[in-house]
Each structure stands twice: as structure tokens, then as C-alpha cells.
Amino acid sequence: MAYCYEEPSRTFNEYLLVPGYSSKDCIPANVDLSAPLVKHRAGEKASLRSNIPLVSAIMQAVSDDRMAVALAKEGGVSFIYASQSIENQAAMIRRVKDHKAGFVRSDSNIRPDQTLQDVLDLKAKSGHSTIAVTEDGTADGKIVGIVTGRDYRESRTPLDTKVEAFMTPFEDLIYAEDGVSLSEANDILWDHKLNALPIIDKSRRLTHFVFRKDYDSHKENPDELLDEQKRYIVGAGVNTRDYRERIPALVEAGADVLCIDSSEGFTEWQQETLAFVRSRYGGKVKIGAGNVVDKEGFRFLAEAGADFVKVGIGGGSICITREQKGIGRGQASAVMDVAEARREYLERTGYYVPICSDGGIVYDYHMTLALAMGADFIMLGRYFARFDESPTARLNVNGNYVKEYWGEGSNRARNWQRYDMGGEDKLSFEEGVDSYVPYAGPLKANVNQSLGKMKSTMCNCGVTNIPDLHRNTKLTLVSATSIVEGGAHDVILKEPGGSMNR
């Protein structure tokens, strides 16, 4: 008969953290949430680290270039989704790397022969009032002027007025040449009391804008995650089908870390993909693999050359793999088992291979539990899909704002490569659903709140960093009765407005 684990397959909801002694220095302001993203020798620092232990999932509904920039500003990493053409994915990577810190590629551009109506339509679509006027209307065209809200009056300027008639022409613009430092650009902004400073190259082509508002934003993001050239760190997903073409293109585009995107990672296909990376790039290109749920799966991928291992099968909110195929494992059990294998591998080889927990997060405190159980960082899909910066549409459904969210295993994603088992180029059946998630607003406010809870919980446990959380915290299983006890009970709850529930 098949081998059967003696312990049940457990979820995060079945555990609580037990408080430990907290010294006076154990306060949220002193908590360090940085984490290694890639393999490194024991006692040494990883070559690539995140400043917060959160990464966004390799999903169409979650991780594009806009999400990557927003999350990097907070200290985390996005993995740009792989279920698109190689060219499109590489272009997203380049946009993130070109964004720099404080330098923004123009996403609102217009030709001089267009009209005020076109300006208003573009403003409504992008939400931006500063519009670059270029000869061909592209982001990197030859600049001929700029339009801001001060250049026209909607109530008095005819809508068919040509842009060239009311724009601020190039001759009157204050600009900086490509190669200017961010500090120098900000000085020009302040000296000339500007809201936006165009950056142009020697051919008079627009390369970036520097905005006054981003000066304050830069100061507000002390944890932003940058490479040696002060560009945002970004990851990318790859599959086990076209990796020979996709990986070189993504590396060329500037991806800092890759991850094989698959529902199940204990396969020869992943072994071959990792072997390709190691034979072509050695250790220069960083790539994670997964997903696995036990010790054997971890050892297989670690020995195959994975820089980190992703843990979790069937625990995502839109994943129905367990229902469809009957495979998987409770996320808490999976993380703890793999963490034990990671410890054994470290003792045997002297190398630490980080663990990424992927799936099973329902409440914010589950994030801290995942870290306490051994994860170094957490991959989240539903969590990030709710924010303004995710690529999906915000809709009003039955009076409530929601955002669309679908799984990579759904027919909508058309991502058969993620579930490839050597068959036809199509999904045999769905392993994900198409859904909505409640709209939650901007990423920054929500992430800061979640991290605030995490820091507070860690202080309750008497630790101020993730390695100490791994070593020095205690967990307890909870009964169904204690779960009820943990919430509000035996009271009459008030409505938000103050009236009582009936």
C-alpha cells in the first residue's frame, strides 16, 4: 500500500504563536524584516535580499511592471508573469529597470496635431495631468512641448483646438540632459519651482520625467529595493517549455531573479531547466523552482541547483488542484516539513537554500506563522490582486467595488505550460477559477498595515528578525473550540455607524 503520513495535513488556521519574553528593545521600530532571496553559504549574506518578506505571485491578474515598481518601493519583489509572449514579458522587465528610482518613463504622450479633446481623453484614462508632446506621440519620441492643466481652460478652450496651439513649446521648457543624477534633477525642480522636469537625450528624445511629488515619495520609501545602479529589483517567471528562448531574453532585459512557474516542481522538466541555467550562466543567474510539499521534493530541487524553493500545492484561494486531482498538502505541514529538509541540507552541504511559502494565506497573521514555521519569504496572489496597482479592472458589482482575479490554471489564463506533463499544447482540465476579490485601495497603505501587524507579533514573541523567529518561537495547535474563543463572542457587535446588529 501507499506510504501514509501519521500526522494530519494541517493549515495555518490550526496554529497560534505563543508569546515569549520581550525586552525593552523589542519594539516594532527595531524589527528587521529583510530576508535572503537566493542560496548562500552559511555565515555569509545572500547576494540578493529583499527588505520585506513579501513577493507577488507569477500571475496575469497580479504581477506586471506597475505592480513590480510599487512593490519594489516598499522593499519587496514582483515576479512578472510568464503566460505571455517572450517579447511582452521582456518589455515589462525593461520598463521596471528603466523606471529607476525617481525617473519615470512617460505613459501620457500625444502628438502636436491632436486636439484638446484627445488631451482630456488621455487625462481621464491615465489620471495624469502632465502630458508629453512628441513628434510621433510615443514615450521616447522627439519632444516638441508639454501640456499641463495650466495650459488650457476646459470651459473656454474649444475642444477641437490643436495641441500645438496651447502647449508649452520646447523652446520655453526647462529640462535636463540624460545622465543627470536624481539629486541634480531634484535641485532643478526646486530651483525653478517646477512640478515636472523632462529628461532628454542628445537627439532631443524624451527619456524620463522627474516629478516633484516623487521627491517626497522617495523620502517616504526608505525600504525601496534597488540594484547597484539604483534601479528597482524585479523578478520573472519562466516555464519548462520555452526556457531556452525565454530565459536569455529576460536576462538580457535585466531580470534580477527568475522562478520556474509550475503547479508541481518535483519533475525532470524542472531539473532540465535548472541544468540549462547552470550550464549557460553558472551561478550568475538566480532562479528558484517549485512547487513542492515535502522533504524529498526540496532535496531534489536543491541538488538540481535551485536558488530558492517554492512550497505549496493546492492552497491558493483560486486553486482547485486538490479538488480536481487529489494532490497537495496543508500549507503549514508542507512548510514545516520542507524547513526541516532545509536544515538537514544546510548541515550536510554548508549552503542555505531559502524557502518561499506560496498559498494558504487567509489572514495577515498567517504570514507571520509561515515565517515562524521556516519560510524566508511569502508569495501572495489574492492579497496583491486587491490593490490599485494590480493589472486587472476595478468593477462595481452589486454596489461593491471588486477587482478581477483568476488562476493561472483557469481557462482564462490559457497557461497550459504551467501544467505541462508532456501532452498536447492545451489545458486538459481547469485547476484554477475565475473570480472577484474585494477592492482594497493602494498597495502602500495595505502592505504597511500588514507589516505593522507582523512586527508587533514578532515583538510579542521576543524576536526582532526572521532568523530569530525561525529559532526562538513556539507554536501551539488549536482546537475548533479555541478558534471560536479567539474571536469576538458573547457580545452584541455594533455596526460601523454605531447601531446594534439585529
Side-chain angles (χ1 to χ4, degrees):
M1 62 173 286
Y3 174 79
C4 184
Y5 288 91
E6 293 183 5
E7 283 292 316
S9 178
R10 298 193 181 278
T11 68
F12 294 135
N13 226 32
E14 297 177 76
Y15 289 90
L16 289 174
L17 287 155
V18 176
Y21 169 74
S22 300
S23 69
K24 289 182 178 179
D25 292 329
C26 199
I27 59 175
N30 292 337
V31 174
D32 176 8
L33 291 178
S34 64
L37 292 175
V38 296
K39 179 172 64 178
H40 57 94
R41 286 186 178 274
E44 298 179 0
K45 275 205 167 187
S47 60
L48 184 60
R49 296 175 61 87
S50 64
N51 290 329
I52 63 172
L54 306 182
V55 303
S56 66
I58 310 168
M59 301 176 72
Q60 295 173 9
V62 179
S63 296
D64 64 355
D65 49 300
R66 187 179 179 212
M67 174 62 73
V69 169
L71 186 50
K73 285 182 178 180
E74 302 308 316
V77 179
S78 283
F79 285 84
I80 304 293
Y81 67 92
S83 50
Q84 59 179 320
S85 71
I86 295 172
E87 294 74 20
N88 286 349
Q89 189 182 18
M92 286 188 180
I93 296 294
R94 282 192 292 271
R95 286 198 292 271
V96 177
K97 302 307 288 188
D98 288 346
H99 189 101
K100 299 182 183 177
F103 291 84
V104 182
R105 280 181 60 83
S106 177
D107 62 359
S108 296
N109 310 285
I110 205 164
R111 298 190 313 274
D113 61 340
Q114 290 182 267
T115 66
L116 175 58
Q117 182 63 64
D118 295 321
V119 169
L120 297 178
D121 291 343
L122 183 57
K123 181 180 176 182
K125 180 180 179 181
S126 68
H128 299 152
S129 57
T130 298
I131 299 174
V133 186
T134 59
E135 285 186 346
D136 58 2
T138 64
D140 54 1
K142 187 174 182 180
I143 190 167
V144 296
I146 286 179
V147 171
T148 71
R150 294 178 296 182
D151 292 316
Y152 59 86
R153 295 179 66 180
E154 288 185 50
S155 60
R156 297 195 178 184
T157 307
L159 295 179
D160 60 354
T161 304
K162 299 291 186 184
V163 170
E164 60 190 356
F166 59 85
M167 69 182 185
T168 301
F170 177 77
E171 294 75 21
D172 296 336
L173 291 179
I174 295 172
Y175 60 88
E177 293 185 357
D178 197 28
V180 67
S181 71
L182 182 59
S183 177
E184 291 168 339
N186 281 321
D187 286 343
I188 296 172
L189 279 171
W190 285 95
D191 290 345
H192 295 275
K193 300 180 180 179
L194 302 174
N195 290 322
L197 178 70
I199 311 298
I200 65 171
D201 65 14
K202 293 180 179 178
S203 300
R204 217 176 90 180
R205 292 187 175 275
L206 180 67
T207 63
H208 297 91
F209 272 110
V210 175
F211 292 97
R212 179 191 287 261
K213 63 181 178 63
D214 286 341
Y215 175 83
D216 294 328
S217 174
H218 184 67
K219 297 295 184 183
E220 291 171 4
N221 297 305
D223 291 327
E224 61 184 354
L225 194 61
L226 306 173
D227 65 16
E228 293 178 352
Q229 297 173 268
K230 303 299 182 183
R231 303 175 303 175
Y232 289 122
I233 298 290
V234 61
V238 299
N239 61 61
T240 57
R241 266 298 176 113
D242 64 9
Y243 60 88
R244 289 179 180 85
E245 298 76 39
R246 189 176 293 269
I247 289 176
L250 300 181
V251 171
E252 176 66 24
D256 297 282
V257 58
L258 306 175
C259 183
I260 302 173
D261 181 32
S262 175
S263 64
E264 205 274 296
F266 196 175
T267 70
E268 188 174 359
W269 290 289
Q270 293 219 5
Q271 186 180 46
E272 289 179 350
T273 305
L274 292 168
F276 167 80
V277 171
R278 295 298 165 237
S279 64
R280 180 157 181 167
Y281 300 103
K284 291 182 180 179
V285 169
K286 306 302 181 182
I287 181 168
N291 288 17
V292 298
V293 292
D294 64 2
K295 289 183 177 182
E296 194 175 1
F298 171 85
R299 284 193 292 266
F300 174 80
L301 291 177
E303 289 167 3
D307 283 296
F308 66 86
V309 173
K310 198 143 65 79
V311 179
I313 294 176
S317 61
I318 40 70
C319 184
I320 54 173
T321 295
R322 296 180 194 174
E323 293 179 13
Q324 293 282 56
K325 297 168 68 174
I327 66 168
R329 196 176 188 189
Q331 190 67 6
S333 296
V335 170
M336 287 189 285
D337 200 20
V338 170
E340 177 61 20
R342 191 255 315 276
R343 182 191 62 78
E344 295 169 356
Y345 185 83
L346 174 64
E347 291 179 352
R348 180 166 58 88
T349 67
Y351 281 94
Y352 185 92
V353 179
I355 294 171
C356 171
S357 177
D358 178 20
I361 302 294
V362 180
Y363 305 109
D364 282 354
Y365 81 89
H366 288 171
M367 299 180 194
T368 316
L369 280 172
L371 297 174
M373 291 172 180
D376 295 279
F377 56 100
I378 305 154
M379 180 169 280
L380 300 158
R382 179 194 62 84
Y383 177 84
F384 287 113
R386 303 172 303 145
F387 302 150
D388 287 324
E389 293 82 0
S390 74
T392 63
R394 188 185 73 168
L395 306 172
N396 190 309
V397 177
N398 298 325
N400 296 309
Y401 281 109
V402 298
K403 295 206 79 176
E404 294 182 292
Y405 180 48
W406 59 91
E408 289 298 298
S410 67
N411 280 326
R412 179 173 182 176
R414 305 179 68 84
N415 187 10
W416 63 268
Q417 294 97 331
R418 190 175 196 270
Y419 301 86
D420 181 26
M421 299 188 72
E424 297 181 41
D425 297 357
K426 65 178 184 179
L427 282 174
S428 301
F429 50 85
E430 288 188 286
E431 293 188 41
V433 299
D434 196 346
S435 65
Y436 299 121
V437 289
Y439 168 67
L443 177 145
K444 183 178 182 64
N446 284 278
V447 166
N448 285 344
Q449 183 180 65
S450 297
L451 295 178
K453 294 177 185 179
M454 185 183 295
K455 291 178 179 181
S456 181
T457 302
M458 289 171 64
C459 289
N460 289 145
C461 295
V463 299
T464 56
N465 58 64
I466 293 173
D468 282 349
L469 185 67
H470 289 166
R471 291 187 292 261
N472 301 328
T473 51
K474 296 174 286 185
L475 296 165
T476 181
L477 279 166
V478 295
S479 67
T481 308
S482 66
I483 291 175
V484 174
E485 180 187 63
H489 59 89
D490 301 314
V491 294
I492 301 172
L493 294 178
K494 295 179 179 180
E495 294 281 5
S499 61
M500 296 198 316
N501 286 325
R502 299 186 184 278

